[in-house]
PDB file of all heavy atoms in Angstrom:
ATOM      1  N   ALA A 324      38.882 -12.799  97.829  1.00 96.00           N
ATOM      2  CA  ALA A 324      38.629 -12.065  96.586  1.00 96.00           C
ATOM      3  C   ALA A 324      37.141 -11.950  96.324  1.00 96.00           C
ATOM      4  O   ALA A 324      36.381 -12.893  96.552  1.00 96.00           O
ATOM      5  CB  ALA A 324      39.305 -12.772  95.408  1.00 96.00           C
ATOM      6  N   TYR A 325      36.740 -10.786  95.819  1.00 95.00           N
ATOM      7  CA  TYR A 325      35.357 -10.528  95.435  1.00 95.00           C
ATOM      8  C   TYR A 325      35.356  -9.771  94.110  1.00 95.00           C
ATOM      9  O   TYR A 325      36.407  -9.625  93.470  1.00 95.00           O
ATOM     10  CB  TYR A 325      34.642  -9.718  96.533  1.00 95.00           C
ATOM     11  CG  TYR A 325      34.745 -10.334  97.910  1.00 95.00           C
ATOM     12  CD1 TYR A 325      35.550  -9.763  98.892  1.00 95.00           C
ATOM     13  CD2 TYR A 325      34.056 -11.511  98.215  1.00 95.00           C
ATOM     14  CE1 TYR A 325      35.650 -10.339 100.164  1.00 95.00           C
ATOM     15  CE2 TYR A 325      34.161 -12.094  99.479  1.00 95.00           C
ATOM     16  CZ  TYR A 325      34.955 -11.504 100.442  1.00 95.00           C
ATOM     17  OH  TYR A 325      35.066 -12.080 101.684  1.00 95.00           O
ATOM     18  N   TRP A 326      34.171  -9.331  93.680  1.00 94.00           N
ATOM     19  CA  TRP A 326      34.018  -8.439  92.523  1.00 94.00           C
ATOM     20  C   TRP A 326      34.478  -9.083  91.213  1.00 94.00           C
ATOM     21  O   TRP A 326      34.901  -8.406  90.283  1.00 94.00           O
ATOM     22  CB  TRP A 326      34.768  -7.117  92.742  1.00 94.00           C
ATOM     23  CG  TRP A 326      34.496  -6.433  94.034  1.00 94.00           C
ATOM     24  CD1 TRP A 326      33.447  -6.631  94.882  1.00 94.00           C
ATOM     25  CD2 TRP A 326      35.301  -5.414  94.644  1.00 94.00           C
ATOM     26  NE1 TRP A 326      33.551  -5.814  95.974  1.00 94.00           N
ATOM     27  CE2 TRP A 326      34.678  -5.053  95.857  1.00 94.00           C
ATOM     28  CE3 TRP A 326      36.488  -4.777  94.283  1.00 94.00           C
ATOM     29  CZ2 TRP A 326      35.196  -4.089  96.716  1.00 94.00           C
ATOM     30  CZ3 TRP A 326      37.009  -3.817  95.137  1.00 94.00           C
ATOM     31  CH2 TRP A 326      36.358  -3.468  96.338  1.00 94.00           C
ATOM     32  N   ASP A 327      34.451 -10.412  91.138  1.00 94.00           N
ATOM     33  CA  ASP A 327      34.840 -11.128  89.914  1.00 94.00           C
ATOM     34  C   ASP A 327      36.282 -10.828  89.507  1.00 94.00           C
ATOM     35  O   ASP A 327      36.612 -10.808  88.316  1.00 94.00           O
ATOM     36  CB  ASP A 327      33.893 -10.798  88.756  1.00 94.00           C
ATOM     37  CG  ASP A 327      32.473 -11.282  89.024  1.00 94.00           C
ATOM     38  OD1 ASP A 327      32.327 -12.338  89.673  1.00 94.00           O
ATOM     39  OD2 ASP A 327      31.528 -10.610  88.591  1.00 94.00           O
ATOM     40  N   LEU A 328      37.152 -10.665  90.491  1.00 97.00           N
ATOM     41  CA  LEU A 328      38.554 -10.353  90.213  1.00 97.00           C
ATOM     42  C   LEU A 328      39.468 -11.555  90.431  1.00 97.00           C
ATOM     43  O   LEU A 328      40.690 -11.410  90.508  1.00 97.00           O
ATOM     44  CB  LEU A 328      39.003  -9.184  91.093  1.00 97.00           C
ATOM     45  CG  LEU A 328      38.336  -7.850  90.772  1.00 97.00           C
ATOM     46  CD1 LEU A 328      38.641  -6.817  91.848  1.00 97.00           C
ATOM     47  CD2 LEU A 328      38.785  -7.337  89.406  1.00 97.00           C
ATOM     48  N   GLU A 329      38.875 -12.754  90.499  1.00 97.00           N
ATOM     49  CA  GLU A 329      39.667 -13.941  90.802  1.00 97.00           C
ATOM     50  C   GLU A 329      40.752 -14.192  89.748  1.00 97.00           C
ATOM     51  O   GLU A 329      41.912 -14.444  90.080  1.00 97.00           O
ATOM     52  CB  GLU A 329      38.755 -15.170  90.917  1.00 97.00           C
ATOM     53  CG  GLU A 329      37.720 -15.077  92.029  1.00 97.00           C
ATOM     54  CD  GLU A 329      36.468 -14.315  91.621  1.00 97.00           C
ATOM     55  OE1 GLU A 329      36.332 -13.986  90.420  1.00 97.00           O
ATOM     56  OE2 GLU A 329      35.645 -14.036  92.499  1.00 97.00           O
ATOM     57  N   ARG A 330      40.357 -14.151  88.476  1.00 97.00           N
ATOM     58  CA  ARG A 330      41.329 -14.417  87.415  1.00 97.00           C
ATOM     59  C   ARG A 330      42.497 -13.424  87.480  1.00 97.00           C
ATOM     60  O   ARG A 330      43.659 -13.800  87.336  1.00 97.00           O
ATOM     61  CB  ARG A 330      40.653 -14.340  86.043  1.00 97.00           C
ATOM     62  CG  ARG A 330      41.630 -14.564  84.876  1.00 97.00           C
ATOM     63  CD  ARG A 330      40.990 -14.168  83.555  1.00 97.00           C
ATOM     64  NE  ARG A 330      39.882 -15.025  83.204  1.00 97.00           N
ATOM     65  CZ  ARG A 330      40.005 -16.149  82.492  1.00 97.00           C
ATOM     66  NH1 ARG A 330      41.198 -16.530  82.052  1.00 97.00           N
ATOM     67  NH2 ARG A 330      38.948 -16.880  82.203  1.00 97.00           N
ATOM     68  N   GLU A 331      42.173 -12.167  87.711  1.00 97.00           N
ATOM     69  CA  GLU A 331      43.214 -11.138  87.756  1.00 97.00           C
ATOM     70  C   GLU A 331      44.205 -11.401  88.883  1.00 97.00           C
ATOM     71  O   GLU A 331      45.429 -11.294  88.703  1.00 97.00           O
ATOM     72  CB  GLU A 331      42.571  -9.763  87.904  1.00 97.00           C
ATOM     73  CG  GLU A 331      43.535  -8.613  87.797  1.00 97.00           C
ATOM     74  CD  GLU A 331      42.836  -7.267  87.673  1.00 97.00           C
ATOM     75  OE1 GLU A 331      41.611  -7.229  87.415  1.00 97.00           O
ATOM     76  OE2 GLU A 331      43.529  -6.251  87.822  1.00 97.00           O
TER      77      GLU A 331
END
Side-chain angles (χ1 to χ4, degrees):
Y325 307 108
W326 310 342
D327 296 326
L328 293 169
E329 298 84 8
R330 178 193 294 271
E331 187 169 347

